[in-house]
Amino acid sequence: MDLRPDLDIRLERVTTAPHDARRAVRSLLGDVADDDLWQNALLATSEIVTHSLTNGSRSGSNQLSAWFEPTSGWLRVEVTESGGDMPSLFNSEANDNGAGHSEMGGLRLAVLSHVPAAWGVECTAFGTVVWFEVNGRVPLDMVD
C-alpha cells in the first residue's frame, strides 16, 4: 500500500460529517460507486465517521483517510481519532464527549461485521484508528 492516501480530510465535529465523508469517498470511487458493493462501503464509511464523532475525544481531531486501487477493486478507509478510547462495537448511548446516536444517526460499528471484507481497530501513536477494507471486482470498462 502506498503510504500516502488517495483521500485525506479532517473531520469536523458537525452532524453533516458522515454525509461529507461519504461524498468524498464516493468521489474517490468514481463511476463504480453506484454498484451495491460500493454503496455498502459508503454505508460503512458513514458508520465509522459517526462512531468517531460520537465516541471520540472532543478535544482531539479526527481524520479520514482512504486508499483505492481501481484495477484490483481494493478500498481501505480509516478514521483516526486523536484521544478517545477503544470503540465499543454496540455502544449506542450518548457519551459526555459529543452527540448521541439518535442525534448523529447511524447503526454504529455493528455494520462492520456485515459489510466489509475486513475491519479492525488499532491504537497508534496518533490515536485510535478504526478501519475497513473492501475487495471488489471493478469492470475493466470503468477503469481509466
Side-chain angles (χ1 to χ4, degrees):
M1 165 171 59
D2 185 353
L3 295 179
R4 291 171 288 135
D6 299 309
L7 174 66
D8 197 24
I9 59 173
R10 182 184 169 145
L11 297 171
E12 299 298 328
R13 190 169 295 282
V14 295
T15 58
T16 60
H19 171 75
D20 298 341
R22 190 173 55 249
R23 184 175 42 207
V25 172
R26 187 180 202 303
S27 178
L28 175 64
L29 294 173
D31 292 338
V32 301
D34 292 329
D35 182 77
D36 286 344
L37 173 72
W38 302 112
Q39 288 294 309
N40 288 333
L42 296 174
L43 171 64
T45 298
S46 293
E47 296 310 321
I48 66 173
V49 169
T50 299
H51 186 272
S52 168
L53 296 175
T54 58
N55 290 340
S57 169
R58 285 201 56 81
S59 61
S61 63
N62 299 329
Q63 194 78 16
L64 176 109
S65 302
W67 296 260
F68 180 52
E69 177 53 50
T71 55
S72 67
W74 174 81
L75 170 72
R76 180 179 175 104
V77 177
E78 296 180 353
V79 172
T80 302
E81 308 166 10
S82 64
D85 299 321
M86 291 292 279
S88 169
L89 181 58
F90 297 104
N91 178 15
S92 63
E93 298 298 319
N95 65 23
D96 295 334
N97 297 335
H101 176 57
S102 61
E103 184 178 333
M104 292 293 290
L107 302 171
R108 297 307 209 182
L109 294 182
V111 74
L112 295 180
S113 64
H114 301 292
V115 174
W119 74 277
V121 180
E122 302 168 7
C123 285
T124 71
F126 303 106
T128 302
V129 178
V130 179
W131 60 271
F132 72 85
E133 293 182 0
V134 174
N135 294 305
R137 292 194 176 101
V138 178
L140 291 177
D141 61 341
M142 290 193 172
V143 177
D144 291 333

